[in-house]
Amino acid sequence: MTSMTEEIPTLCDDVFAGIVLLDENLRIVYANHEIARKGDVKIDDVVGQNFLNFFEDPESVRRFIQNPTPESHLLAYLITPKGKKMYVKIKAKKYGTNTLVTLLDLSELGAIKEALVKSEEMFRGMAESSMDAIVIADHDGKIRFWNSAAERIFGFTKDEALGKKVDELIIPESMRKKYRRALSKFKVNKITEGRIYELEGRRKDGTSIPVEISLGPVSFGDGVGVVAVIRDISERKRKEKNLEAERRELELLYTILDKITRHTEPAEIYEVIYRELKYAIPQMDAFLIAIKHSENRLDVDFVIGEGKRYPPHSLPLDEKLTLTGWVFKNEKTLHIQDVESDKLPAGINLVGVPMRSWVGIPLKYMEKTIGVLSVQSKEPNAFSDTQIKFLERVAHSIAAVIHTADMYEHLKASEERYRILLENSVVGIATTDLNNKFTYVNRFFANMLGYEPHEIIGKHLRDFATEEGYKKLAEGTVRRKRGITDSYEAEFRHRDGRAIPVLVYASPLRNMKNEIIGTIGIAMDISERKQMEEQLNRERRKYRTLFENVGVGVAVIQDKRVVYVNEELTDMLGMGREQIIGESIDKFVHPDDLPLAFKNYERRLRGLDAPRTYIMRLIDSKNDVLWVKLKATITEWEGKTAILASLTDITSIKRTQDMLVSLDEVFRKLGRSKDEKGMFRLVVNHLKYTLNFGDVKIYKIEKTHLFNVLKPSERHDLRDNIVASWVARNGTSYYAPNMNKERNMMPIMNFSCEYATPILVGGEIFGVIAVRRAKPYSISSGERMVVDMVSKHLSVHIENLRHMRDLEQSKNMYELMMHIVSHDVKNPLAIIKGYVELMREEQNPDFLDEIDKAVEEASRIITQARLFSKLDLGKVKQEKKFIKIAEMILSSYELVNKKYHDAKIEIRGDAEIEVYPILREAFVNILDNAYKYGASKVEVSVESTEDCTIIKFSDNGVGIEDSKKQRIFEVFEKGDRGGSGLGLAIVKRVVELHNGKIYVKDNVPRGSIFVLEIPECDDKKE
């Protein structure tokens, strides 16, 4: 015993395991330094103590030490004198009455074991609550885990699935190769980790379902297996198919509407409708449109069979005589699959050759049937239910267009076109008055609630909303009365009683006086949006992949800082994860929304009421505003309380609302504009600042050039290889998404994306609207539609403005001619009459001279009046010529000198410029006026400057009073020596024709100086 206790310290003090030697009573007679170090005690404090007193379960330790074997060990919890708990592995060996015990510290392994148990429990809880199937397979492909969602989706119970191979159980034969290839690539280099595959899954009943599957690695003791997250996408595929069909129908409908709005004649509209429907329904052999124009007849305005047009005719409005009449009277669709075998409700009106299939659809406008659309085919059962439903939807729009065309002939207004746009919108649009009664709803809004528009208009909001939904809508009306535009969520009630959650964007509705008269709003059905369906394991990376499969942005906020963000949100903000994680949320939230965000954050953490869903604004990497719908809930992240937030980008919906409201305001302002330049400036500012185009130009065609209407110095030749010139030459729109790839087009400045559309006025190309952005592919189809719509409205208003000007000019010219006839021409005629009466009494040759002078005066007045009329109406048809000014002045003097024989002239200087020959009339009138008012001599000077030619006529006549210097160029402003009062008015019009100016000043010591300034270069159109 003594020898053993002396040898043990030498052997055991330097080992890393704890070693103690016990006597027959299990008291400690020796403990090595590792025991002291691990227990943080002195060796003397444990020697002499009963070994069993240091264990949580001393009885199991006693039994093990009394009967140890070389292969056995015991795992137990040891409690040190200072209370420290250690998980240890015990081995023992008998030496006579003594026992040598080895203690190995396994505390860290124990903690790992507990953590694994908890982690496993957490994973199983999360997996069982998941709406997606979660399947774990080992390296042989055998299923080791199968959650409840997998049972629901595939129909196999857990017992039926466990141990089976994944591909043999739930993958159809046709898809197994694709699944195995993906699995093989995953096992080799993990390149499919995180990638989503679309496959066909097989249910227990043998049916196939479309699924999404994403793969991730999972470790097993004997290798690496696979965790698969599988989502049933049957419903999504069905909706995608329906949406694609609706998209194609809307695209065709838009094509029809876009083309027919370019025509106002019904025959042209019907031709377009026929061509587009023939493209969509090729088996259509015959087509007709019948409209009710009289009380008892249906007029077949357009009929075509097998490509041959037939003359219009009429049918009796009798449901017993014709199928067309039956459809009109009963106001519902009639489908005859086979004329030869089906029972017909009335006689049939055949087009050309006999037809076998017949479909008639009522054309309704504002719930009033105005006619019938019919398609026919030589083949039986030619038309499918889908095609008929499409025709029914198209029929509503066709009816609206036909009605609009009829109204256009009488009203020449654009209001109905705008209404058609609203009716075909893909979001619900409605207006209410200040008493919350509907004044308008589009068809999309009505269909969303299961009604027809007329069933809603005039009714109260309360009749179509849930109690809570109406409360929010009514609060919104209060904000609208204060002029506030905002968005919020509310609930409407469908006709069948179910609640329809909607996202509402609302603005004040104003009248022409800018008074608030109600609300205009956009409502978007958000019932289809999915909630996050899984509880994600936030402490293990293999479970975070679930977040990456969610189609919305996800973030975890802790201590007001971002601790996790998924890829969807990084894409939304245009930032990398390293730029977001660890940052305070005030870096990403719009400053105006920070108080609300922090308030909801604090209330939610304290367990107080806070909205789970609300709208707010973020700031992305480009400092642009991003509107999002945020849903938040409290969660736990790495052992601490946090906020889990999901964010849906709704920026495009917000912009759509803003664009519709601003567009309505622009159209109303266009209607109030009184001049073209004001309209051009209004359109340019709207497109540039509302739609954020980098450049907006309106060009007007002038002979062989385009010039910027707001900056005439900017000109382009029509032959130039630019988009605007191409549109002006061809008369149709052109979209260049990437100018760098356009071989035959030159870019304007640094703009890489350009769209241009013609402005048609009176059937002719007036000019072009061109919009540009620096970024390629940045002008959307919706924005191009808006530009086209603005162009059409601008065309109508330009034409209306011109009609108003023509009427005003015609009225003024009529009054001018009446004045001349009743006053100026009357005087010489009176003179002629007087001398004729004298000649009856006395034959005097002098009388004939006086009569001749009177005739000459009357002729001069009429000539002056005709010239002024042409100038004022812009009807002077002359070409510019290069003329020497001195020669033109001299020829003018020679003409005037025949009347004033003693008149003299002196000409100094000369210039050769391009002018209209009619400029001579201005010189003649200035010289005639000078000599008539006492001038004996006129000195003329001609001087050229950099910008213009200055011509001064200086006379020594009686001069002009200051008070009359501004009026002498007005029509009928006469001096005290007679005349028509048109001479100087003609001079002013001729000078203005050259884009020049004229004024008069005093000559010293007496007389007047008339100054003409004629620009050197001017191709102003006559």
Side-chain angles (χ1 to χ4, degrees):
M1 173 68 183
T2 304
S3 174
M4 186 176 185
T5 56
E6 289 175 351
E7 292 176 357
I8 284 177
T10 303
L11 297 173
C12 300
D13 278 348
D14 293 330
V15 299
F16 291 101
I19 296 177
V20 295
L21 183 65
L22 308 180
D23 61 15
E24 65 273 15
N25 298 318
L26 301 183
R27 293 185 180 277
I28 299 172
V29 297
Y30 165 77
N32 71 346
H33 293 298
E34 185 66 12
I35 290 290
R37 186 180 66 81
K38 285 286 187 179
D40 193 20
V41 296
K42 295 179 180 179
I43 293 177
D44 293 341
D45 293 337
V46 297
V47 173
Q49 299 288 327
N50 190 309
F51 181 65
L52 300 179
N53 293 340
F54 294 98
F55 288 91
E56 190 175 65
D57 185 3
E59 184 58 29
S60 61
V61 175
R62 184 186 61 78
R63 288 195 300 270
F64 173 75
I65 291 176
Q66 287 178 344
N67 299 290
T69 64
E71 297 83 9
S72 64
H73 68 269
L74 176 68
L75 299 178
Y77 283 102
L78 182 148
I79 311 299
T80 69
K82 292 188 177 181
K84 181 180 177 181
K85 188 175 182 180
M86 299 171 60
Y87 190 63
V88 296
K89 178 181 179 181
I90 306 172
K91 292 183 71 69
K93 186 175 182 181
K94 288 284 190 178
Y95 289 95
T97 59
N98 298 106
T99 304
L100 185 66
V101 179
T102 303
L103 303 171
L104 181 63
D105 185 2
L106 301 180
S107 297
E108 293 182 359
L109 181 61
I112 292 172
K113 180 180 178 181
E114 289 185 356
L116 287 174
V117 171
K118 291 181 179 179
S119 177
E120 178 71 15
E121 292 174 353
M122 184 181 299
F123 164 70
R124 289 186 177 277
M126 181 195 70
E128 289 301 326
S129 64
S130 172
M131 296 299 291
D132 287 343
I134 297 179
V135 180
I136 298 178
D138 59 21
H139 64 284
D140 292 326
K142 292 182 179 180
I143 297 173
R144 300 279 289 271
F145 180 81
W146 183 267
N147 72 342
S148 299
E151 291 184 336
R152 173 176 51 79
I153 292 174
F154 294 103
F156 295 101
T157 65
K158 188 177 298 185
D159 292 338
E160 292 172 326
L162 292 179
K164 303 294 193 304
K165 285 197 172 184
V166 173
D167 54 350
E168 295 176 357
L169 185 69
I170 61 174
I171 304 298
E173 183 69 31
S174 60
M175 302 298 288
R176 288 177 186 172
K177 288 185 178 180
K178 182 176 180 181
Y179 171 78
R180 288 166 181 167
R181 282 198 303 270
L183 191 61
S184 297
K185 292 179 181 179
F186 174 80
K187 289 182 177 180
V188 172
N189 52 20
K190 305 297 186 294
I191 62 171
T192 61
E193 184 175 352
R195 181 176 174 184
I196 297 176
Y197 290 88
E198 285 194 9
L199 300 173
E200 289 288 329
R202 186 182 67 181
R203 294 176 51 83
K204 183 178 180 179
D205 59 9
T207 58
S208 295
I209 56 171
V211 296
E212 278 184 351
I213 180 169
S214 62
L215 304 177
V218 61
S219 296
F220 290 97
D222 53 354
V224 178
V226 177
V227 57
V229 180
I230 306 172
R231 177 172 295 175
D232 182 355
I233 58 173
S234 304
E235 182 65 14
R236 191 181 79 190
K237 286 293 183 182
R238 183 187 66 79
K239 291 179 180 178
E240 287 177 353
K241 183 178 179 181
N242 292 340
L243 286 173
E244 177 61 21
E246 291 176 3
R247 185 194 66 76
R248 290 196 298 269
E249 292 178 6
L250 286 174
E251 188 175 88
L252 177 60
L253 185 56
Y254 169 74
T255 301
I256 294 175
L257 294 176
D258 179 62
K259 290 183 178 180
I260 62 182
T261 50
R262 302 177 186 178
H263 305 282
T264 56
E265 292 296 328
E268 297 173 350
I269 294 175
Y270 300 151
E271 182 70 33
V272 170
I273 295 172
Y274 166 71
R275 287 200 306 267
E276 297 301 326
L277 289 182
K278 179 66 175 174
Y279 174 78
I281 309 177
Q283 66 268 40
M284 180 178 71
D285 295 318
F287 170 82
L288 70 82
I289 290 181
I291 305 298
K292 180 185 176 186
H293 293 301
S294 58
E295 186 63 28
N296 297 313
R297 306 289 295 178
L298 274 176
D299 293 326
V300 182
D301 292 342
F302 184 86
V303 56
I304 189 167
E306 295 187 297
K308 178 182 178 183
R309 283 282 299 274
Y310 291 88
H313 59 280
S314 63
L315 299 171
L317 190 56
D318 190 334
E319 61 181 314
K320 297 180 180 180
L321 295 180
T322 66
L323 294 177
T324 307
W326 189 94
V327 172
F328 187 92
K329 284 288 188 179
N330 289 274
E331 299 185 332
K332 60 183 180 180
T333 299
L334 178 62
H335 180 197
I336 306 299
Q337 294 181 340
D338 191 346
V339 171
E340 296 182 2
S341 60
D342 289 2
K343 182 178 180 180
L344 306 182
I348 186 166
N349 178 52
L350 297 178
V351 176
V353 298
M355 297 291 164
R356 296 286 297 275
S357 298
W358 193 96
V359 176
I361 298 170
L363 296 174
K364 293 184 179 182
Y365 179 77
M366 299 296 286
E367 301 308 316
K368 179 181 179 182
T369 301
I370 64 172
V372 175
L373 180 149
S374 173
V375 297
Q376 304 170 30
S377 175
K378 293 185 297 183
E379 301 297 327
N381 304 307
F383 305 112
S384 67
D385 292 340
T386 301
Q387 291 173 328
I388 294 172
K389 289 179 181 179
F390 167 68
L391 286 171
E392 288 176 333
R393 286 192 288 270
V394 170
H396 288 292
S397 298
I398 291 175
V401 170
I402 293 173
H403 178 80
T404 301
D406 186 55
M407 292 295 293
Y408 184 82
E409 292 298 318
H410 298 88
L411 303 177
K412 300 293 184 182
S414 60
E415 180 180 353
E416 288 301 317
R417 290 186 182 181
Y418 188 58
R419 185 175 295 276
I420 290 173
L421 176 64
L422 296 180
E423 286 299 320
N424 289 280
S425 173
V426 294
V427 294
I429 302 174
T431 62
T432 59
D433 61 20
L434 296 177
N435 295 318
N436 286 333
K437 288 188 176 181
F438 286 103
T439 55
Y440 168 79
V441 296
N442 71 344
R443 184 159 296 278
F444 191 94
F445 184 96
N447 291 343
M448 183 171 66
L449 301 186
Y451 295 90
E452 292 295 322
H454 74 276
E455 296 178 289
I456 299 177
I457 295 174
K459 302 289 182 60
H460 201 277
L461 263 174
R462 186 186 297 107
D463 299 333
F464 302 92
T466 63
E467 182 177 352
E468 186 63 27
Y470 175 69
K471 180 180 178 182
K472 292 184 177 180
L473 292 165
E475 290 171 351
T477 301
V478 174
R479 294 193 296 275
R480 240 51 74 218
K481 291 178 180 179
R482 299 202 303 267
I484 298 174
T485 296
D486 60 10
S487 58
Y488 55 95
E489 288 188 13
E491 280 189 347
F492 284 99
R493 191 168 296 284
H494 194 273
R495 180 193 284 270
D496 60 13
R498 57 191 169 90
I500 304 291
V502 295
L503 190 59
V504 177
Y505 297 87
S507 296
L509 181 64
R510 301 177 184 272
N511 60 16
M512 297 295 288
K513 297 180 181 179
N514 206 36
E515 299 168 335
I516 295 175
I517 58 173
T519 297
I520 178 171
I522 295 176
M524 178 181 178
D525 184 352
I526 59 174
S527 58
E528 296 291 334
R529 292 188 182 175
K530 294 183 179 180
Q531 307 295 326
M532 281 199 304
E533 299 170 344
E534 306 89 28
Q535 285 291 337
L536 304 177
N537 185 345
R538 301 170 185 81
E539 301 189 352
R540 301 274 178 193
R541 185 173 173 221
K542 65 179 179 180
Y543 304 130
R544 291 183 188 176
T545 56
L546 295 175
F547 277 140
E548 301 301 332
N549 294 323
V550 179
V552 296
V554 178
V556 177
I557 314 298
Q558 199 172 68
D559 298 328
K560 296 184 180 179
R561 294 188 177 275
V562 181
V563 295
Y564 170 78
V565 62
N566 72 344
E567 186 175 354
E568 186 78 18
L569 188 53
T570 62
D571 292 343
M572 198 183 300
L573 294 173
M575 302 178 185
R577 278 191 169 91
E578 69 280 359
Q579 296 174 280
I580 302 175
I581 293 178
E583 296 290 343
S584 173
I585 59 175
D586 58 10
K587 178 179 178 180
F588 312 105
V589 179
H590 192 284
D592 294 343
D593 292 344
L594 269 176
L596 175 64
F598 281 138
K599 176 184 176 183
N600 290 338
Y601 177 86
E602 295 292 348
R603 290 182 63 84
R604 191 170 282 109
L605 286 180
R606 294 201 300 268
L608 303 176
D609 288 338
R612 186 168 181 265
T613 303
Y614 57 94
I615 306 297
M616 65 182 298
R617 290 166 291 178
L618 302 181
I619 303 297
D620 66 12
S621 60
K622 299 179 181 178
N623 287 325
D624 291 332
V625 174
L626 196 68
W627 287 85
V628 296
K629 176 187 173 186
L630 182 143
K631 291 185 177 181
T633 186
I634 197 164
T635 186
E636 184 176 299
W637 184 265
E638 295 183 353
K640 294 176 62 178
T641 301
I643 299 297
L644 174 65
S646 66
L647 303 97
T648 304
D649 186 356
I650 58 172
T651 307
S652 59
I653 301 174
K654 176 65 176 173
R655 288 174 179 167
T656 299
Q657 182 228 359
D658 293 341
M659 182 177 68
L660 287 174
V661 173
S662 64
L663 199 60
D664 175 68
E665 179 65 20
V666 168
F667 290 161
R668 286 194 283 115
K669 287 181 179 179
L670 278 177
R672 298 196 296 268
S673 295
K674 301 299 181 184
D675 65 279
E676 288 185 3
K677 196 167 186 179
M679 288 194 294
F680 297 149
R681 186 174 288 106
L682 178 65
V683 168
V684 168
N685 289 339
H686 169 73
L687 293 177
K688 189 168 186 178
Y689 299 112
T690 302
L691 297 184
N692 295 318
F693 285 115
D695 185 49
V696 179
K697 295 291 173 58
I698 298 179
Y699 298 103
K700 184 176 180 181
I701 298 176
E702 181 68 35
K703 293 184 178 178
T704 60
H705 287 77
L706 287 175
F707 74 88
N708 185 343
V709 294
L710 298 181
K711 188 180 179 182
S713 61
E714 180 185 337
R715 293 169 179 260
H716 300 285
D717 195 296
L718 283 177
R719 296 169 297 181
D720 288 347
N721 290 330
I722 63 172
V723 173
S725 294
W726 188 95
V727 172
R729 293 195 304 269
N730 293 275
T732 186
S733 303
Y734 191 96
Y735 177 43
N738 188 348
M739 292 298 294
N740 297 323
K741 295 184 179 180
E742 294 285 335
R743 296 183 178 180
N744 300 320
M745 293 291 178
M746 296 293 293
I748 300 296
M749 294 185 287
N750 295 322
F751 296 105
S752 298
C753 185
E754 181 170 352
Y755 178 69
T757 190
I759 304 171
L760 303 177
V761 178
E764 296 182 354
I765 301 177
F766 170 85
V768 175
I769 296 179
V771 296
R772 306 175 180 111
R773 284 199 178 113
K775 184 179 180 181
Y777 306 100
S778 58
I779 301 177
S780 68
S781 60
E783 290 173 327
R784 299 198 296 274
M785 288 173 56
V786 170
V787 174
D788 290 341
M789 189 160 49
V790 169
S791 172
K792 293 173 184 177
H793 276 267
L794 184 60
S795 300
V796 171
H797 290 298
I798 290 174
E799 190 165 7
N800 289 342
L801 193 60
R802 289 186 172 181
H803 290 329
M804 291 173 61
R805 288 176 178 170
D806 289 345
L807 288 173
E808 186 66 26
Q809 285 185 330
S810 298
K811 177 183 176 184
N812 293 340
M813 193 49 57
Y814 172 77
E815 293 175 353
L816 169 65
M817 294 299 105
M818 290 300 297
H819 180 89
I820 292 172
V821 171
S822 61
H823 293 84
D824 297 290
V825 178
K826 185 176 180 181
N827 293 333
L829 290 177
I831 294 172
I832 294 171
K833 182 180 180 182
Y835 278 106
V836 169
E837 291 177 353
L838 288 173
M839 288 184 68
R840 288 174 180 166
E841 300 175 1
E842 179 184 354
Q843 296 297 322
N844 189 335
D846 294 337
F847 292 167
L848 292 175
D849 292 336
E850 295 300 326
I851 290 174
D852 186 56
K853 291 179 181 179
V855 170
E856 183 178 348
E857 176 64 15
S859 176
R860 185 185 67 80
I861 292 172
I862 292 171
T863 300
Q864 294 276 64
R866 290 182 62 202
L867 177 58
F868 181 79
S869 172
K870 290 182 178 180
L871 287 168
D872 205 49
L873 294 176
K875 294 182 179 180
V876 176
K877 303 298 181 183
Q878 292 186 351
E879 294 292 333
K880 282 187 175 182
K881 299 179 180 179
F882 280 97
I883 296 174
K884 290 185 177 182
I885 295 300
E887 290 181 2
M888 180 177 278
I889 294 172
L890 186 59
S891 68
S892 302
Y893 166 74
E894 291 171 352
L895 180 64
V896 175
N897 189 236
K898 294 177 181 179
K899 183 177 179 181
Y900 303 100
H901 303 293
D902 298 328
K904 296 180 180 180
I905 192 168
E906 179 182 341
I907 303 174
R908 297 191 303 272
D910 195 5
E912 185 175 8
I913 60 175
E914 190 177 15
V915 296
Y916 296 107
I918 200 172
L919 182 62
R920 182 171 178 270
E921 295 295 330
F923 295 163
V924 169
N925 276 285
I926 291 175
L927 292 172
D928 183 81
N929 192 72
Y931 296 135
K932 180 168 62 177
Y933 283 92
S936 59
K937 181 179 180 181
V938 177
E939 296 179 356
V940 184
S941 67
V942 182
E943 177 186 355
S944 294
T945 67
E946 183 179 350
D947 300 324
C948 65
T949 297
I950 302 173
I951 308 168
K952 297 180 181 178
F953 291 83
S954 304
D955 65 57
N956 58 358
V958 298
I960 302 171
E961 299 175 10
D962 290 342
S963 60
K964 295 183 178 180
K965 287 177 180 175
Q966 295 298 324
R967 302 201 311 268
I968 60 173
F969 296 107
E970 297 177 2
V971 182
F972 304 131
E973 186 64 31
K974 301 179 182 179
D976 55 9
R977 302 195 181 184
S980 65
L982 294 175
L984 292 180
I986 289 173
V987 173
K988 185 173 184 291
R989 295 295 195 279
V990 171
V991 174
E992 289 175 345
L993 181 66
H994 289 79
N995 207 22
K997 62 181 179 177
I998 182 172
Y999 55 91
V1000 64
K1001 59 184 181 178
D1002 292 335
N1003 193 12
V1004 180
R1006 60 173 284 154
S1008 302
I1009 302 175
F1010 284 81
V1011 183
L1012 285 69
E1013 296 181 2
I1014 308 297
E1016 289 289 345
C1017 295
D1018 177 69
D1019 25 270
K1020 183 178 178 183
K1021 191 175 180 180
E1022 299 92 341

